[in-house]
């Protein structure tokens, strides 16, 4: 789902809605945003949680458990309740975390795997355990969601358009339900219309849309929810699988890579742009002594093979630079065979191509984890509205600095900015990353990361003030926080918790020679590998145990440590007599009125499709879903929506204008456009133009409807 909501500014002047209130992607952005959605690209690398490791996310707040809003977070931010997760799977509206206790979910909609959750409910928050998933080993999501249970069976749930969740194609499944015939499964991958599974014996199985099942027999039959074996060479087991928007990659034990599926931009990698129904070899086994492919990753319309020496090859669509080859973007750019980054680009930017240990690719943005440091590189698109896929903390679609970008030394802003990068760029403050999961349109990302901002005495017991008399102040205790490897701008130092009033910050700064009572202020900068020293005091307000938390926050990270103490009565003390009542004081002179505040910025009206692709059957209905957000200070009234339908769908050329009820400032609404598909509609994908009109402004959105028998 698009992250297009905006919050109205409280000071925005009341005025009529005008054309300036609308936000629209560019023509090229609209074109590519209507392409088929990518399947999940998921890393399943278990990592023991340490005190310095947190799970962070950026993108749509409601989809990643950060809030119930459609606004975006553009800097990696710690996810509440996600500590200990070992993998993440994301689709357009929700996210799933694999944890020792089971699979957790956050987001909205009816396909969360929780019984009784109706469409449009922005719940649960932050994350809720899906019952019966304790011990789960793997997860994947796209059109539907898959869970590999502890016994090696697979459960599926979701919209199930083509049978990709199992069972009867077209029949939605609300809660995790076993997929027939699957045992001893070690990994799963999902596209919007198909699912694939890797078994412990090295065989690969597929179910869903018939022409992408990976076998001649499957292509000749109907869509199915029953897994069928993919046709691969006998005697060489598969070791890894990946699913893109509608194409699939398999890595065999000998290092060869096989692929099949949609291929309009060469993402299968066999040198053509024709669809492939039966797997073909696109990378041969490695010769003796040569680097060997160790991992594969399928993006929406791109593919990657990672080699044992940390290098990679890419193929498919490179319009946004998502292949990372270092060339020049070209709207018709289709790389049809596995290709290494161009030597000239590597020579000019050697630090941008270090050895990698994993690649995850999505709609138009690609992420990679650097071997050794666990840092994250990113390339491709940073401009899909509202921008920020690169995690720089910027929401502008076109980042104003030239590439390569150095976050510690940005340099001179560019004159026009750039929205894409074909050279890998460093992403934010992520380090020591063991796994990274991305969503289908490069707007929702979750990763486990080692922290930069840390508590110095991490791993030791929390500091205690022990016993202290009620109403008196203790001597200050020193708490130390460090910034590992790079500077940190601290924006908040505070004490929280039920007994926060029993503790106070006496002094804080980057010098260890602080004197009690020294004032401090934020923001302040902790130098790279430097320390922040905080003096804290205990002054109990009541007898007994008292607890609070000292938190230091900056640049999307929070380091915290618990404070404790025990309040005691003053020995031998007695209550004093009540003093005389004081005389009332005289009133002071009134101060002058302050100046008027600045006018707030204009808000925006957002109209965006929640699904770029919809499936429907001949003679049946199709429902197009949109999100309308009034982020202005005025009431939005008199709006209409109308769909232009191609003749090939066998229905009227227009759905007729439908009025939309008035929408108050700051509110959002789901808008449905229904279509009746003709009995003789042409099979395949059709482009539907949907026009939203409010006042004198018309915004057009495009959705693809795929017609099946």
């Amino acid at each position: 789902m698009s992250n297009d909501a905006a919050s109205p500014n409280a000071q925005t002047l009341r005025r009529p809605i005008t054309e300036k209130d609308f936000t629209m992607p560019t023509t090229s952005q609209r074109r590519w945003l209507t392409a088929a959605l990518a399947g999940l690209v998921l890393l399943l690398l278990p990592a023991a949680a340490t005190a310095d490791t947190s799970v962070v996310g950026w993108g749509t707040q409601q989809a990643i458990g950060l809030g119930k809003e459609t606004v975006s977070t553009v800097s990696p931010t710690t996810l509440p309740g996600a500590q200990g997760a070992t993998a993440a799977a994301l689709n357009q509206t929700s996210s799933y975390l694999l944890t020792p206790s089971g699979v957790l979910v956050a987001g909205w909609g009816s396909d969360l795997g929780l019984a009784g959750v109706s469409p449009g409910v922005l719940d649960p928050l932050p994350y809720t355990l899906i019952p019966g998933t304790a011990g789960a080993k793997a997860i994947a999501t796209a059109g539907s969601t898959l869970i590999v249970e502890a016994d090696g069976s697979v459960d599926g749930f979701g919209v199930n358009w083509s049978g990709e969740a199992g069972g009867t194609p077209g029949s939605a499944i609300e809660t995790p339900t076993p997929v027939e015939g699957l045992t001893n499964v070690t990994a799963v991958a999902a596209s919007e219309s198909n699912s694939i599974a890797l078994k412990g014996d090295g065989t690969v199985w597929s179910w869903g849309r018939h022409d992408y099942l990976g076998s001649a027999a499957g292509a000749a039959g109907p869509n199915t929810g029953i897994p069928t074996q993919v046709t691969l060479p006998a005697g060489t087991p598969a070791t890894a699988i990946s699913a893109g928007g509608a194409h699939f990659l398999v890595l065999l034990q000998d290092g060869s890579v096989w692929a099949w599926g949609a291929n309009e931009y060469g993402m299968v990698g066999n040198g053509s742009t024709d669809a492939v129904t039966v797997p073909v070899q696109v990378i041969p086994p490695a010769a003796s002594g040569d680097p060997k492919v160790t991992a594969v990753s399928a993006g929406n319309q791109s593919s990657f093979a990672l080699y044992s020496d940390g290098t990679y090859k890419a193929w498919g669509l490179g319009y946004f630079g998502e292949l990372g080859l270092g060339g020049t973007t070209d709207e018709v750019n289709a790389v049809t065979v596995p290709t290494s980054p161009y030597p000239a680009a590597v020579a000019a930017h050697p630090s941008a191509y270090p050895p990698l240990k994993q690649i995850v690719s999505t709609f138009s943005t690609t992420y990679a984890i650097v071997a050794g440091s666990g840092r994250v590189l990113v390339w491709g698109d940073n401009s899909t509205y509202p921008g920020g896929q690169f995690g720089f903390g910027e929401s502008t679609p076109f980042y104003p600095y030239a590439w390569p970008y150095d976050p510690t030394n940005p340099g001179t802003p560019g004159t026009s900015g750039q929205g894409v990068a074909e050279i890998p760029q460093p992403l934010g403050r992520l380090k020591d990353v063991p796994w990274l999961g991305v969503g289908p349109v490069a707007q929702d990302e979750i990763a486990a990361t080692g922290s930069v901002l840390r508590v110095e005495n991490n791993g030791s017991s929390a500091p205690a003030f022990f016993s202290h008399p009620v109403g008196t102040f203790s001597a200050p205790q020193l708490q130390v926080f460090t910034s590992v490897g790079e500077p940190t701008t601290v924006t908040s130092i505070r004490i929280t918790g039920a007994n926060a009033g029993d503790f106070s910050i006496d002094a804080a700064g980057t010098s260890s020679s602080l004197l009690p009572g020294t004032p401090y202020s934020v923001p302040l900068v902790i130098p790279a590998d430097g320390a922040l020293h905080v003096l804290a005091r205990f002054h109990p307000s009541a007898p007994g145990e008292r607890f609070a938390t000292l938190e230091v926050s900056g640049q999307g990270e929070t380091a915290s440590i618990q404070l404790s103490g025990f309040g005691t009565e003053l020995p031998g003390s007695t209550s004093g007599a009540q003093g005389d009542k004081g005389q009332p004081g005289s009133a002071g002179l009134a101060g002058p009125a302050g100046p008027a505040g600045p006018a707030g910025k204009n808000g925006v009206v957002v109209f965006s499709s929640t699904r770029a692709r919809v499936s429907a059957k001949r003679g049946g209905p199709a429902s197009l879903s949109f999100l309308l957000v009034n982020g202005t200070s005025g009431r939005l009234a008199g709006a209409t929506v109308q769909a232009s339908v191609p003749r090939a769908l066998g229905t009227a050329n227009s759905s007729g204008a439908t009025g939309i009820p008035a929408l108050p400032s700051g509110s959002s609404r789901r808008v449905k456009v229904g279509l009746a598909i003709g009995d003789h509609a042409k099979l395949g994908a059709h482009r539907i133009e949907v026009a939203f009109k409010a006042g004198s402004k018309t915004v057009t959105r495009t959705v693809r409807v795929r017609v099946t028998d």
Side-chain angles (χ1 to χ4, degrees), residues 130-472:
I130 299 178
T133 58
K137 298 189 295 185
I139 48 178
T141 188
S144 294
T145 302
L146 306 172
I147 299 175
V148 180
E149 300 291 359
D151 62 358
S153 62
V154 175
D155 287 345
F157 57 92
V159 292
N160 204 30
W161 288 317
S162 305
E164 70 278 0
T168 303
S171 298
I173 300 175
E174 187 171 322
T175 57
T177 302
V179 178
E180 182 179 337
L182 285 180
T183 59
N184 194 28
V185 172
T186 59
V188 285
S191 75
E192 187 163 309
S193 59
N194 288 76
S195 300
I196 56 176
L198 174 63
K199 287 189 175 184
D201 62 1
T203 59
V204 178
W205 298 72
S206 175
W207 60 104
R209 179 173 159 170
H210 67 100
D211 49 343
Y212 294 152
L213 291 174
S215 66
N223 296 344
T224 180
I226 300 175
T228 61
Q229 188 169 349
V230 175
T231 303
L232 292 166
T236 306
T239 59
I241 57 176
S242 185
H247 73 287
F248 308 87
L249 304 177
V250 174
L251 172 64
L252 300 188
Q253 192 175 63
D254 61 5
S256 63
V257 176
W258 296 70
W260 75 96
N263 193 30
E264 60 266 40
Y265 296 105
M267 51 273 202
V268 167
N270 66 338
S272 79
T273 55
D274 298 326
V276 177
T277 57
V278 179
V280 293
Q281 180 177 274
V282 296
I283 296 180
S288 178
D290 288 346
K292 182 179 179 181
V293 177
T294 57
V296 289
S297 176
N300 182 56
Q301 293 170 325
S302 58
S303 300
F304 295 84
L306 183 64
Y307 285 78
S308 54
D309 62 355
T311 61
Y312 66 89
K313 289 185 177 180
W315 59 102
L317 181 65
Y319 178 83
F320 286 106
E322 60 265 55
L323 299 183
L325 300 180
T328 302
T329 55
D330 184 345
E331 189 168 343
V332 296
N333 184 11
V335 178
T336 60
V337 295
T339 303
S340 298
Y342 303 133
V346 176
H349 307 285
S351 63
Y353 295 92
L356 306 176
K357 71 175 183 180
Q358 190 57 273
I359 296 176
V360 289
S361 185
T362 178
F363 174 73
S364 56
T365 309
T366 303
Y367 302 84
I369 302 175
V370 178
S373 69
R375 291 286 190 177
V376 174
L377 299 179
V378 58
W379 60 90
D381 180 25
N382 188 50
S383 62
T384 300
Y385 186 85
Q389 292 90 335
F390 282 16
F392 291 153
E394 293 284 343
S395 59
T396 52
F398 292 91
Y399 200 72
Y401 297 105
W403 314 120
Y405 173 73
D406 179 357
T408 63
N409 182 25
T412 304
T415 56
S416 60
Q418 293 178 254
V420 300
E422 296 197 359
I423 304 295
Q425 311 296 316
L427 188 152
R429 293 161 59 86
L430 301 186
K431 61 185 301 183
D432 302 327
V433 173
W435 58 263
L436 171 67
V438 299
V441 290
Q443 292 189 3
D444 302 319
E445 293 82 19
I446 294 178
T449 179
S451 59
V452 175
L453 181 60
R454 303 183 184 183
V455 179
E456 175 67 19
N457 59 341
N458 211 353
S460 65
S461 59
F465 287 87
F466 302 108
S467 299
H468 205 76
V470 171
T472 63

